[in-house]
Amino acid sequence: MVARVKTRERIVQQSLKLFNQQGERNVSTNHIAASMEMSPGNLYYHFANKQAIVAILFDRYEAQVYGFLQRPAGRLPNLADKRTYLHAVMSVMWDYRFLYRDLEHLLESDAVLAARYRVFSKQCLAQGRLIYAGFVEAGILSMNNSQIEALTLNVWVILTSWVRHLCTTLDQPAILSEQVIKRGVYQILMLQSGHVCPQWREAMAGVCEEFHVPTDDAPVGRN
Amino acid sequence: MVARVKTRERIVQQSLKLFNQQGERNVSTNHIAASMEMSPGNLYYHFANKQAIVAILFDRYEAQVYGFLQRPAGRLPNLADKRTYLHAVMSVMWDYRFLYRDLEHLLESDAVLAARYRVFSKQCLAQGRLIYAGFVEAGILSMNNSQIEALTLNVWVILTSWVRHLCTTLDQPAILSEQVIKRGVYQILMLQSGHVCPQWREAMAGVCEEFHVPTDDAPVGRN
């Protein structure tokens, strides 16, 4: 029993690794089995198909996101929380980058996952709005409700599109590094840069500096 | 000769229509020919393959974008220009929505188009930065160079990802309306909302109102 559980977990881990490296579309269950020196039959004993593996990975991704996408209990959020959110976002984007890369394809071919994803996105937007509202209450950001709503939706679109943006504009899109993912987190942070209250601007500039990664598209000729 | 030119143009128009309605992936040259009551052979006389049609459509898309993505000549941009940019962006997103929907797929299967697209994206970012710098010079927006750079990149990611975002989160993703595209333009406009100079806030709020479209995900329980 222990060995069986371990095998199942090893398949999940190996699938995640291969999906992230090569893209989910380019990895079949046969590839996964072969890379583990396992017979396809043995893999099918644990998982009926690739969708079942993706579903497990999505469970974990979702749990990881819900785990950090919360307002601090019983107090207002502070700048240390901001850093914690950003690092958590960076980790999840990196750990599950295959999801962002192939999202539309994954959802198109799996109606159950597509329905789950729609619920997930609404939940994330709702939590995101609550968190930003917390930063407003804490006097760190200054925004009205329309601004909070639009900002949260922009954060969501950038986060879920960043990996694909890289894939269409980088000269070597196959090579996704943690650094280029980090730039995505910087972009999220900069979304709020016009809304930072004056007394927090210097401290927030420090956070921006921590997350800054230059793009290969260095601006020239600007005054 | 006139008839031949006309046929070629009709094929381009019909392809754009079908690509936008059904997604480029789901439309073959045979579909295009059949929908025009034309033999596949006749279509091949004009276009060697679907890529050649996509290339022509990309030419037009690119020309349309370069046409409006310019600073006004000899003067600073004003609020009327802002509206003009937003309307132009909305038109091009709507007219060529198939490009945004299937972009990664299109680029993956066409190395020439992928290389053109990388150049195009860099040009658009450079022009975008110049235009935002113009609004800063005009005293309408207040941003430093880092903020201009990050904002322009965020605008680009949102614009090029908006259609796909809709496809993954709408309950009926097949139905893309001009209204949901317009919401994307509103999101772009809201990106700068924290950077508007005090004396322009009221006027800019009017522009935001013009472009506002509610999402189906109405926020509840916010204070």
Side-chain angles (χ1 to χ4, degrees), chain A residues 165, chain B residues 61 100 103 117 155-164:
Chain A
H165 161 69
Chain B
Y61 161 75
Y100 298 102
L103 189 61
Y117 189 79
V155 168
W156 175 260
V157 176
I158 302 260
L159 282 183
T160 56
S161 309
W162 184 251
V163 169
R164 264 177 154 157

Side-chain angles (χ1 to χ4, degrees), chain A residues 104 150 154 158 161 167 187 193-194, chain B residues 104 150 154 158 161 167 187 194:
Chain A
E104 205 182 26
N154 280 332
I158 302 262
S161 309
C167 292
Q187 288 297 122
S193 81
Chain B
E104 205 183 25
N154 279 331
I158 302 260
S161 309
C167 291
Q187 289 295 125

Side-chain angles (χ1 to χ4, degrees), chain A residues 25 104 118 129 145 147 149-150 154 158 161 164 167 169-171 187 191 193-195 217 222-223, chain B residues 25 104 118 129 145 147 150 154 158 161 164 167 169-171 187 191 193-195 217 222-223:
Chain A
R25 286 188 214 212
E104 205 182 26
R118 285 195 295 273
R129 286 190 296 260
N145 282 347
Q147 288 174 320
E149 191 204 340
N154 280 332
I158 302 262
S161 309
R164 262 173 154 163
C167 292
T169 54
L170 285 185
D171 289 337
Q187 288 297 122
L191 282 174
S193 81
H195 303 292
D217 168 38
R222 292 194 292 133
N223 46 5
Chain B
R25 284 189 217 213
E104 205 183 25
R118 285 195 295 272
R129 286 189 296 260
N145 283 347
Q147 289 173 319
N154 279 331
I158 302 260
S161 309
R164 264 177 154 157
C167 291
T169 54
L170 285 184
D171 289 337
Q187 289 295 125
L191 283 175
S193 82
H195 303 291
D217 168 39
R222 293 194 292 133
N223 47 2

Side-chain angles (χ1 to χ4, degrees), chain A residues 34-160:
Chain A
S35 77
M36 300 177 71
E37 296 179 356
M38 176 187 281
S39 72
N42 193 0
L43 190 144
Y44 286 124
Y45 174 82
H46 295 280
F47 293 100
N49 49 42
K50 196 166 66 165
Q51 272 182 5
I53 304 175
V54 171
I56 298 269
L57 290 171
F58 188 78
D59 286 343
R60 295 182 183 188
Y61 162 74
E62 196 178 48
Q64 194 170 326
V65 173
Y66 287 153
F68 72 77
L69 205 62
Q70 316 244 358
R71 271 178 70 149
R75 62 171 176 85
L76 292 174
N78 56 38
L79 221 60
D81 296 314
K82 172 63 78 177
R83 279 199 184 81
T84 305
Y85 288 128
L86 294 169
H87 281 291
V89 163
M90 195 157 76
S91 293
V92 80
M93 281 176 82
W94 176 250
D95 293 349
Y96 293 92
R97 56 199 180 280
F98 84 95
L99 274 181
Y100 298 102
R101 194 159 164 181
D102 286 319
L103 188 60
E104 205 182 26
H105 166 73
L106 287 166
L107 302 186
E108 235 171 37
S109 54
D110 187 339
V112 176
L113 189 65
R116 281 183 68 187
Y117 189 79
R118 285 195 295 273
V119 173
F120 173 70
S121 73
K122 280 189 212 293
Q123 294 273 2
C124 290
L125 286 169
Q127 282 301 107
R129 286 190 296 260
L130 286 173
I131 291 170
Y132 278 114
F135 281 103
V136 170
E137 281 176 57
I140 296 174
L141 299 178
S142 168
M143 291 189 280
N144 61 31
N145 282 347
S146 300
Q147 288 174 320
I148 291 174
E149 191 204 340
L151 174 70
T152 308
L153 185 48
N154 280 332
V155 168
W156 175 259
V157 176
I158 302 262
L159 281 183
T160 56

Side-chain angles (χ1 to χ4, degrees), chain B residues 50-61 110 113 116:
Chain B
K50 196 165 65 162
Q51 272 183 5
I53 304 177
V54 170
I56 298 270
L57 289 170
F58 188 78
D59 286 342
R60 295 182 182 189
Y61 161 75
D110 186 339
L113 190 65
R116 281 182 67 186

